[in-house]
Amino acid sequence: MGIFDKLQKVERKIQRVIERQFGEEAAHEPLEVRRKILEEIEEKIRSVGGKRMFPFNGLIIYLLAPDADSRAVLEAAFIETRQIEIDARHLLDESNCEVPADLQINVRVAGEATPALGRIATKGFHIQYSRRVSKEKKKPAAPPPAYLTVVRGKARRKRCAVAVPQTNMGRLREVLDPSGRVMRRNDLAFLDVEDEINATISRAHAHIRFEQQTGDFRVSDDGSAHGTHLMRQGHLIEVPSGARRGVKLHSGDLIYLGRAFVQFEIKSKAEP
């Protein structure tokens, strides 16, 4: 049984639905319009490089209903049941052609003919075809490997990898609240010793975050007592206390935490 034979079987069912609700004369014109719609859609199938394909992924099918009675027939037969959409998809599926996976078909009833709807007044329908280009979401930037090396100050370790999404820096490994609960853990932890340099490092001094949208590392001061600064090519850059985004880091920057400082480095892919 061919595709149009199958669609004719559906047509007889639609005819019975319309005739039961609206009388024998009401079915002729809607069914004729349905056949023409399917014929036009089939004509849009193209042969490209030896393959048959339907080049559109968006269809809006307008059915003309100039009065309340014709609107009621169309809505009952085609809109509420989505029959036109089902038939169009079935036709394309059975036509041995490639169909866009994101194909969308919408069926609407137009109360009057307008220039935008072409020859709908004479045809009884109008189809708008479109090819939407889906916008691929930009993948977040992958963080390159980055490291902190302690240059001045006493820390639990001399060098540590910058963690993603955030690397905390400060005095002590764990910062506790008055009840003894851990408020913060420092990834780069300086020793809590009686030292004129380490004494200028706050327990929750600063942090580094990787910003996926821009692919940047940024350092922020967490309200430290002695401040956070960058030394870049001989220029001192203040990191404002409490500024949410902080300051963008460049590979080679020296990060001053009070009087202690560490070097920030981004390892390139070419490096071993």
Side-chain angles (χ1 to χ4, degrees):
M1 181 181 290
I3 176 60
F4 277 97
D5 292 329
K6 294 178 181 178
L7 293 173
Q8 283 178 358
K9 288 185 66 176
V10 175
E11 181 176 298
R12 288 192 286 272
K13 293 180 182 178
I14 299 170
Q15 182 176 355
R16 288 195 291 270
V17 169
I18 296 174
E19 288 178 348
R20 279 200 302 269
Q21 295 187 55
F22 304 100
E24 292 184 4
E25 298 300 321
H28 175 73
E29 186 174 345
L31 293 176
E32 182 64 24
V33 168
R34 171 181 171 271
R35 283 193 293 270
K36 290 180 179 179
I37 288 172
L38 297 176
E39 288 171 359
E40 180 177 314
I41 291 173
E42 186 183 37
E43 290 173 358
K44 296 295 182 181
I45 297 172
R46 298 287 183 263
S47 293
V48 180
K51 292 183 178 180
R52 283 164 54 82
M53 61 177 293
F54 187 70
F56 306 102
N57 61 2
L59 274 70
I60 303 178
I61 302 171
Y62 292 91
L63 304 173
L64 181 62
D67 55 61
D69 290 342
S70 56
R71 174 180 286 271
V73 172
L74 293 175
E75 289 181 347
F78 300 133
I79 305 297
E80 295 171 5
T81 61
R82 297 176 56 211
Q83 191 61 54
I84 291 287
E85 177 188 348
I86 293 169
D87 289 343
R89 289 183 181 278
H90 188 52
L91 169 68
L92 292 171
D93 288 342
E94 295 291 327
S95 294
N96 194 27
C97 70
E98 293 184 4
V99 179
D102 59 345
L103 173 64
Q104 292 184 6
I105 301 175
N106 294 293
V107 183
R108 301 174 184 175
V109 175
E112 61 180 350
T114 64
L117 297 181
R119 294 168 46 228
I120 193 170
T122 55
K123 293 169 59 178
F125 71 95
H126 174 73
I127 305 177
Q128 287 183 354
Y129 300 89
S130 62
R131 178 68 191 176
R132 305 181 317 277
V133 179
S134 58
K135 295 181 180 179
E136 292 185 5
K137 292 184 179 179
K138 187 178 179 181
K139 293 183 179 180
Y147 299 90
L148 294 171
T149 302
V150 178
V151 181
R152 180 189 292 170
K154 297 182 177 71
R156 292 171 59 90
R157 49 183 171 163
K158 185 78 173 176
R159 190 170 188 255
C160 78
V162 175
V164 173
Q166 181 165 313
T167 301
N168 292 327
M169 300 176 286
R171 190 157 41 93
L172 295 177
R173 178 72 181 89
E174 294 182 339
V175 181
L176 308 179
D177 66 10
S179 63
R181 292 176 298 187
V182 176
M183 295 172 54
R184 168 181 171 127
R185 288 185 172 87
N186 286 316
D187 303 280
L188 179 58
F190 287 83
L191 301 178
D192 189 22
V193 295
E194 292 297 327
D195 179 279
E196 62 180 5
I197 294 174
N198 277 38
T200 64
I201 306 168
S202 297
R203 294 178 179 179
H205 196 108
H207 70 269
I208 296 172
R209 283 189 63 84
F210 179 72
E211 195 172 72
Q212 286 189 326
Q213 289 76 13
T214 62
D216 297 330
F217 289 95
R218 305 186 74 90
V219 61
S220 299
D221 182 89
D222 294 328
S224 66
H226 294 274
T228 303
H229 297 79
L230 301 181
M231 181 65 75
R232 179 182 302 159
Q233 297 178 346
H235 299 285
L236 192 65
I237 302 169
E238 181 183 3
V239 179
S241 178
R244 185 173 180 181
R245 289 197 69 203
V247 176
K248 178 181 175 180
L249 285 167
H250 293 188
S251 186
D253 282 352
L254 298 178
I255 305 173
Y256 279 77
L257 309 169
R259 294 180 60 187
F261 65 90
V262 300
Q263 186 171 40
F264 171 78
E265 293 176 288
I266 297 174
K267 185 177 180 182
S268 68
K269 293 181 179 180
E271 294 181 51

